[in-house]
Amino acid sequence: MSNTKGSLTQLALQKFKKNFWGVLSFWLIVAIGFLALFAYAIAPDNSQNANQMHLSIHSQRPGFEVQMLYLPSGIETQQNGFSRVFFGNANADIEIPISSYSIDKEVLTYTEYASDGLIGVEKTIDLNRFPNKDHSAFIKKKTFLFGTDKYGRDLLSRILIGSRISFSIGFIAVFISLVIGICMGSIAGYYGGKVDAIIMWIINVTWSIPTLLLVIAITLALGKGFWQVFIAVGLTMWVEVARVVRGQIISAKEMQYVTAARALGFNDYRIITKHILPNIMAPIIVISAANFAAAILIESGLSFLGIGAQPPMASWGAMIKDHYNYIILGKPYLALIPGVCIMILVMAFMLIGNALRDALDVKS
């Protein structure tokens, strides 16, 4: 049995490797996952939530360059390197966009950057504010590859850190839906009768409620926030998994290997978990990939409506909400860039789902 299982797995893997779009999607998802995990280490703005605001350089075009004066915050916090890399710098330097500066004795005089033809304010600062009075290490030219948003924050950094929410909600929501869906579907399909009728009634009632409406209701009941959205999306996606598992178990429980397991005296739990479920994983894997894409879209929709991840947390859906007006104001990239990111990630999961369906098709 183990050799047969191994050979079938190898055949499925070989079929998957021959699918160009499936392999491309797989590596694209791996790359986005890597960027999401190490977002703060890669992002130009490594402050928590990439929330360094510079209103004087708001809504600037991609590739915009400006001189930036970095003032040491002077506040010391107990933050280790691990926390700084994975959760952002809680005490980042103060950034001030400047257009020019000069030094006279122990004083640094600088002119703040002003957009739209305005005259910048001239200010002074004592060189003692800088370690070893070395100002040159704290005045650097900064390039915003994706431009800045309406608050003057680095759009590239917000995109990188926003990928964490879209990526993590897929995993957590799919995990919740698999746990509930497999349990409910297995019980309904294996035992049948009144148990099946009751569970199917629950499934049909949940199925009849529009997904987005149900998510909004759960989110409002649990409160607005990061984890509440994950739980809400997961609690609305289990019905599809349950229906698939139920149908597969109804047909699988009449197979000879299940009859043999009953004859050997194995209990129902072992028969379901050790014998039936491993043989019906193919459709579950395929539907999980589709649910992953659906979870990303639902979270983006919730963030667009303002009940998803809350500011200042970066979220692709919230970024579209903040900037969709700019589509008609001549700066459509502010909304199009996060929209394209959502489209690419969702398409990758849909393509990998299709590739897995073809690879795991036993009839072919």
Side-chain angles (χ1 to χ4, degrees), residues 54-73:
H54 318 98
L55 293 179
S56 60
I57 55 171
H58 70 91
S59 311
Q60 294 291 343
R61 68 190 184 281
F64 172 74
E65 292 183 348
V66 68
Q67 280 188 315
M68 195 72 72
L69 171 63
Y70 297 88
L71 295 180
S73 61

Side-chain angles (χ1 to χ4, degrees), residues 2-76:
S2 60
N3 291 335
T4 304
K5 184 178 180 180
S7 62
L8 290 174
T9 303
Q10 291 173 1
L11 285 172
L13 188 59
Q14 289 174 3
K15 284 187 65 178
F16 180 80
K17 288 180 178 179
K18 293 178 181 178
N19 191 310
F20 171 78
W21 292 109
V23 174
L24 178 64
S25 299
F26 171 78
W27 287 114
L28 182 61
I29 291 168
V30 170
I32 295 173
F34 178 84
L35 291 175
L37 184 62
F38 297 99
Y40 283 109
I42 300 170
D45 180 6
N46 67 344
S47 62
Q48 288 187 344
N49 298 311
N51 200 38
Q52 287 273 21
M53 295 186 184
H54 318 98
L55 293 179
S56 60
I57 55 171
H58 70 91
S59 311
Q60 294 291 343
R61 68 190 184 281
F64 172 74
E65 292 183 348
V66 68
Q67 280 188 315
M68 195 72 72
L69 171 63
Y70 297 88
L71 295 180
S73 61
I75 304 172
E76 294 185 3

Side-chain angles (χ1 to χ4, degrees), residues 199-220:
I199 293 176
M200 282 305 298
W201 181 83
I202 296 172
I203 289 173
N204 290 330
V205 169
T206 309
W207 192 284
S208 65
I209 303 173
T211 302
L212 194 58
L213 183 62
L214 187 58
V215 171
I216 291 172
I218 295 173
T219 304
L220 293 177

Side-chain angles (χ1 to χ4, degrees), residues 50 70 78 156-157 214 244-245 250 265 311 331 342 353:
Y70 297 88
Q78 298 297 325
L156 174 60
S157 300
L214 187 58
V244 171
V245 171
I250 287 175
K331 297 178 180 178
I342 294 171

